[in-house]
C-alpha cells in the first residue's frame, strides 16, 4: 500500500461517523483527520495512531524492508528512489554489524 492510499482508507473506515467523533477515537485533532482524508501525509506519530485505528501495520504505508520512511507535506521522493535508498541503508547497516562482530565488539 502507498501512503497516498491512507486518506481513502480513513474516509471509508470513518463512513458516516463525524470527523470530530472519529478524530477523538483515533486520538488526533479533527483538523488533522480532515487533512489526512484530503491527501496530506501525517507525521509518523499520527500515522501510528491512524494505523492502529484502521487495524493496519504502519509499515504497509512506510515500510521498505525493516525500515520506515515517512515524508511530510508531500515532499516524497519517487518510490523507486526510496527503495534504492532503503536497500543502500540496509546493506550499510549489515556491513557495519559484520565489521563490529568481526572486531569482537
Amino acid at each position: 500500500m502507498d501512503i497516498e492510499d491512507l486518506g481513502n482508507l480513513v474516509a471509508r473506515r470513518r463512513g458516516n461517523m463525524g470527523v470530530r467523533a472519529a478524530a477523538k477515537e483515533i486520538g488526533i485533532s479533527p483538523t488533522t483527520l480532515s487533512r489526512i482524508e484530503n491527501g496530506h501525509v501525517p507525521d509518523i506519530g499520527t500515522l501510528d495512531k491512524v494505523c492502529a485505528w484502521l487495524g493496519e501495520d504502519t509499515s504497509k504505508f512506510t515500510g521498505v524492508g525493516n525500515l520506515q520512511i515517512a515524508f511530510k507535506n508531500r515532499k516524497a521522493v519517487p518510490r523507486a528512489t526510496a527503495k534504492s535508498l532503503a536497500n543502500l541503508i540496509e546493506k550499510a547497516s549489515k556491513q557495519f554489524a559484520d565489521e563490529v562482530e568481526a572486531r569482537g565488539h
Side-chain angles (χ1 to χ4, degrees):
M1 248 180 250
D2 290 334
I3 192 73
E4 291 82 17
D5 299 327
L6 184 64
N8 290 330
L9 285 172
V10 169
R12 273 187 268 158
R13 164 74 165 77
R14 185 170 68 81
N16 292 329
M17 183 187 299
V19 172
R20 289 181 190 275
K24 184 175 182 180
E25 202 172 275
I26 297 168
I28 61 176
S29 74
T31 302
T32 298
L33 180 57
S34 292
R35 287 181 180 167
I36 292 168
E37 288 185 357
N38 287 313
H40 289 262
V41 178
D43 62 65
I44 196 69
T46 301
L47 181 61
D48 285 340
K49 290 177 183 179
V50 171
C51 286
W53 182 71
L54 289 171
E56 297 286 348
D57 186 3
T58 306
S59 67
K60 284 186 176 181
F61 300 98
T62 61
V64 181
N66 291 324
L67 302 174
Q68 289 191 347
I69 301 172
F71 300 98
K72 194 167 175 163
N73 298 327
R74 297 182 188 230
K75 294 180 182 175
V77 296
R79 190 165 185 79
T81 303
K83 284 185 177 185
S84 294
L85 288 170
N87 287 333
L88 177 68
I89 294 167
E90 284 178 332
K91 287 179 183 178
S93 177
K94 183 180 179 338
Q95 183 177 347
F96 177 75
D98 291 346
E99 287 177 11
V100 169
E101 187 177 309
R103 285 185 278 168
H105 291 93

